DNA sequence: CTAAACAAGATGCATATACATCTATCGTTT
DNA sequence: AAACGATAGATGTATATGCATCTTGTTTAG
């Protein structure tokens, strides 16, 4: 199951990365923009939990995104925390990428069919939930 | 969908990596041992296609596995090719890991239920096929 | 209130991953 | 056979990823 997921992830990532390459952003980073857009300002740890991603992995990825000016970091009330939010350039990047992102999704969805698509969205979430217990 | 798959992959990988950590091998590498065990001797490129993994990614991973003596590389009739096969130490490692690997799978399968499990195996394969067209 | 326990990230390190580019080799065409 | 285009990997570079460990704050036990 692990191998299956990783294989599919690699294959999918290439599709999405191809679509975003002209914008100079990777699928992982774009996902973070999307999450921040919905979640507003969150701590690095909270963001990690949303993505099931180690907080220390985010240290490096957010560093890159910060260099591009896509996000802003800010000290929290608890001064150990880094509060992260979308910056202007990040919103712009998000807007520019959405159509490409959705084009890939639409194509994929057409090829899989709505039923499998919906099933997959549900099942992959359930796997994540089970695996992170 | 891409984000969902990556999230699930990260979560799953940790489960499998945890189980294999005492053996000093990663899930990705263990998967390669399993594939080689079934496939026998294959070229690096063929192995990459089986895993939907870039052949140049394998250059580094196989290098690591070679250091451990788990695989053997050999020149092909076509001298551009690297023929890869399981080495003795790789078979041993595979045998030592199988029970741990299967324990994780059994636990996961129990938590998901057979129906979702089977569905997932089928659907993730189909996604890979669609995405690598 | 202080010392110990704990939590949030940063850093060092190793692996995973792919693309662009380069080299060696192969097959084909003339 | 020489030249040309195609293929298999190797290498440089950048990002993705997590663990162990360290630092810096915060919380809690006494």
């Amino acid at each position: 199951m692990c191998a299956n997921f990783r294989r599919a992830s690699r294959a999918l990532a290439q599709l999405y990365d191809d679509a975003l390459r002209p914008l100079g952003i990777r699928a992982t980073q774009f996902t973070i923009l999307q999450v921040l857009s919905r979640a507003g300002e969150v701590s690095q740890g909270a963001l990690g939990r949303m993505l099931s991603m180690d907080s220390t992995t985010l240290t490096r990825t957010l560093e890159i995104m910060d260099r591009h000016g896509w996000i802003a970091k800010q000290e929290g009330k608890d001064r150990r925390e880094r509060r992260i939010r979308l910056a202007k350039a990040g919103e712009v990047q998000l807007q520019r990428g959405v159509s490409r992102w959705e084009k890939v999704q639409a194509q994929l969805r057409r090829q899989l069919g709505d039923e499998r698509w919906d099933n997959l969205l549900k099942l992959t979430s359930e796997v994540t939930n089970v695996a992170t217990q």
Side-chain angles (χ1 to χ4, degrees), chain A residues 30-116:
Chain A
F30 196 78
T31 298
I32 292 177
L33 293 186
Q34 290 174 312
V35 169
L36 287 178
S37 176
R38 268 190 270 109
E41 185 179 290
V42 290
S43 72
Q44 184 170 314
L47 187 55
R49 283 186 292 280
M50 292 178 209
L51 297 165
S52 304
M53 184 182 287
D54 193 288
S55 150
T56 72
T57 296
L58 280 172
T59 300
R60 330 294 168 113
T61 300
L62 293 177
E63 156 79 29
I64 294 168
M65 298 179 71
D66 195 24
R67 276 207 308 268
H68 288 286
W70 297 334
I71 60 162
K73 301 187 204 174
Q74 198 171 346
E75 231 180 37
K77 194 177 50 189
D78 179 337
R79 278 183 320 189
R80 291 170 304 181
E81 279 189 357
R82 306 278 169 274
R83 310 285 300 177
I84 313 290
R85 62 184 164 73
L86 213 52
K88 271 283 155 52
E91 288 178 41
V92 171
Q93 190 72 328
L94 185 54
Q95 283 319 306
R96 287 206 297 166
V98 164
S99 60
R100 291 163 182 279
W101 186 270
E102 281 174 351
K103 202 161 148 194
V104 175
Q105 298 234 107
Q107 160 99 16
L108 201 58
R109 183 169 186 155
R110 200 162 45 242
Q111 288 176 277
L112 284 168
D114 284 352
E115 193 180 329
R116 281 185 243 186

